[in-house]
DNA sequence: CGTTCAGTTGACCATGATCAAGAGTGGTGG
DNA sequence: CCACCACTCTTGATCATGGTCAACTGAACG
């Protein structure tokens, strides 16, 4: 599958109209709300999370530029989780009617939506594996590998480095660990030279070594096609 | 959204043609394979799982009658996880061409497919929360609540009881615990009268109590609409 | 009947949690 | 420009949940 010029124009138009800015740490939408628009992340990081009655919080996914939120728009009437801004966020919002028009008129885009949805589900599966089976060290290494490759696939890395706005507490809420233990595990990874990570900037000098430390296998990201998919998006300005 | 008679007939036809039986503990399809058909579970339990290089295995979802497997059919070229039969399994297989015909001709069914996909993703999110945040006791209680309600929504419960073919080792691979610890936790739940569970038969005398023990909140299952959705399937023989 | 697989129990161990205090760092207002 | 505050990171000491290893029981099945 690949996009036609008409598809690309339509995508560019969508990203241009109705943009909105959300402050860091604010919710883009909260659990229980009725979804009102599909959001396309244009800039910044967001996270999908759920709260437990006992006060704990679990982050279940991150959204970086190019990612979509709330495809459930038509289908599920209430958000079953919240989406929060990690950094200041810029999003494009696509309302119900426009979305519907796209789905009926642009089959390639619809297929791409399915694609995005299925990959995101595959990532969810891997996160279950991550918290279910891996040690603290491995979980963190795995998370760093995943996010680096996802950032790379949308052109947001710079050689071996990338901006990485998560606090150690965010990482704790992602990996099901405490922030104290995350701290100690990160120090271990640093000591071994597997990562350089300070001031919200991450460098991975040897990706394969870090992948080894995290039992990371990139297949689940379906990156090859992810690239093909996002290529068209990156060229949208052309 | 609701189905027309034409929709229902089509669904009945799909479930009737090309059924296949898989022995217990065999794979329906393995990670790395190219998916060749969408499978609809007609009878028995299956599980979606991933293996790690270090030999451990994580179950990431169960599939019970009425559930679909491998919607990735057109979209992803390789299975990123395996699907195995827990019990002997009866499935209906829908090939690529037929599936494509459905998607183009039956918009209601297509919407229902989206719906199934999104609910299943919501379940994945909850599983991440389960292994990430809950204690052993809570994880197991939560799993039992979820599966009971899912079985109930397709008419496979009998009052407070249901068939429940998972071994303690299966539960361990689902919850990220060891089978020894699963055993002790189950005994605890039994001792407190929260469950009766033997010979692969589960009884939950007080669902709300068990939900409390598992910090279980059923919202993520979107059950109300699940019922509405599966109604049409249950009546297919009519 | 013997074999296999699931469940059970006990003793001991280790990963990661908890609690608490202190050090940087950055932002804000006087 | 400095002082203060809030937040994140860091470190140490202790604790507990759940893991490991190993042996034994019981049921199912050919």
């Amino acid at each position: 599958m690949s996009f036609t010029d008409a598809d690309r124009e339509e995508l560019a138009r969508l990203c241009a109209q109705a943009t909105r800015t959300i402050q860091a740490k604010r919710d883009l939408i909260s659990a229980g709300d009725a979804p009102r628009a599909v959001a396309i992340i244009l800039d910044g990081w967001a996270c999908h999370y759920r709260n437990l009655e006992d006060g704990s919080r679990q982050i279940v996914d991150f959204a970086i530029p190019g990612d979509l939120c709330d495809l459930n728009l038509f289908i599920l009437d209430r958000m079953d989780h919240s989406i929060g801004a990690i950094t200041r966020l810029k999003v494009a919002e696509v309302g119900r009617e426009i979305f519907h028009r796209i789905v009926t008129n642009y089959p390639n885009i619809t297929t791409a939506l399915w694609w995005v949805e299925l990959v995101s589900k595959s990532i969810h599966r891997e996160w279950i594996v991550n918290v279910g089976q891996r040690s603290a060290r491995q979980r963190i290494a795995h998370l760093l590998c995943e996010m680096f490759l996802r950032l790379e696939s949308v052109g947001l890395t710079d050689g071996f480095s990338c901006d990485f706005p998560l606090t150690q507490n965010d990482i704790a809420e992602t990996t099901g660990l405490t922030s104290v233990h995350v701290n100690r595990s990160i120090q271990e990874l640093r000591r071994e030279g597997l990562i350089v990570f300070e001031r919200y900037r991450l460098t991975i000098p040897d990706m394969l070594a870090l992948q080894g430390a995290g039992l990371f296998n990139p297949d689940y990201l379906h990156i090859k096609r992810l690239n093909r998919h996002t290529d068209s998006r990156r060229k949208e300005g052309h």
Side-chain angles (χ1 to χ4, degrees), chain A:
Chain A
M1 181 215 87
S2 62
F3 287 134
T4 65
D5 286 345
D7 293 334
R8 283 162 211 229
E9 274 166 35
E10 186 59 28
L11 283 173
R13 211 174 306 135
L14 285 176
C15 291
Q17 61 134 46
T19 70
R20 188 178 141 208
T21 301
I22 294 103
Q23 292 307 309
K25 316 213 172 192
R26 286 276 165 68
D27 269 3
L28 208 162
I29 188 164
S30 303
D33 290 356
R36 53 184 67 238
V38 175
I40 304 167
I41 310 276
L42 301 177
D43 189 51
W45 285 42
C47 68
H48 299 251
Y49 67 93
R50 272 191 188 154
N51 290 315
L52 287 203
E53 298 129 50
D54 68 2
S56 57
R57 178 172 109 130
Q58 172 75 42
I59 294 175
V60 296
D61 200 4
F62 291 106
I64 58 174
D67 285 337
L68 303 178
C69 303
D70 302 333
L71 270 193
N72 25 11
L73 193 44
F74 300 110
I75 317 272
L76 302 178
D77 40 357
R78 299 281 152 196
M79 288 294 292
D80 53 51
H81 66 284
S82 307
I83 304 177
I86 303 267
T87 63
R88 171 195 291 249
L89 217 55
K90 215 162 79 191
V91 304
E93 291 193 326
V94 179
R96 206 171 271 252
E97 328 68 38
I98 298 182
F99 186 78
H100 195 256
R101 188 170 53 73
I102 305 273
V103 170
T104 44
N105 296 330
Y106 295 84
N108 288 337
I109 296 180
T110 305
T111 303
L113 289 177
W114 267 104
W115 192 86
V116 164
E117 197 60 20
L118 291 171
V119 170
S120 127
K121 205 170 144 194
S122 175
I123 291 174
H124 278 167
R125 282 191 285 267
E126 189 64 21
W127 284 40
I128 297 172
V129 177
N130 206 31
V131 283
Q133 300 297 331
R134 284 184 258 257
S135 69
R137 234 178 83 94
Q138 291 171 338
R139 288 184 213 183
I140 294 167
H142 192 280
L143 174 66
L144 300 182
C145 288
E146 174 179 318
M147 293 315 299
F148 190 89
L149 291 185
R150 286 173 64 181
L151 290 167
E152 190 177 56
S153 82
V154 291
L156 287 175
T157 53
D158 175 17
F160 297 147
S161 304
C162 62
D163 286 331
F164 202 89
L166 302 183
T167 66
Q168 294 185 358
N169 193 53
D170 293 331
I171 296 176
E173 291 179 335
T174 304
T175 52
L177 301 164
T178 57
S179 59
V180 172
H181 202 66
V182 165
N183 181 279
R184 294 196 232 262
S185 305
I186 286 182
Q187 287 180 51
E188 201 183 307
L189 292 172
R190 279 203 271 247
R191 232 178 293 124
E192 297 169 27
L194 288 169
I195 59 172
V196 181
F197 181 22
E198 36 182 26
R199 309 281 187 92
Y200 303 107
R201 182 116 190 128
L202 169 68
T203 302
I204 302 178
D206 180 350
M207 176 53 96
L208 286 181
L210 190 61
Q211 293 189 0
L215 298 182
F216 181 92
N217 178 328
D219 291 352
Y220 75 97
L221 289 172
H222 300 266
I223 284 272
K224 225 192 189 119
R225 304 202 52 175
L226 184 60
N227 271 323
R228 210 189 297 163
H229 171 67
T230 49
D231 273 339
S232 52
R233 201 181 276 148
R234 254 185 282 159
K235 285 185 208 135
E236 84 204 0
H238 130 114

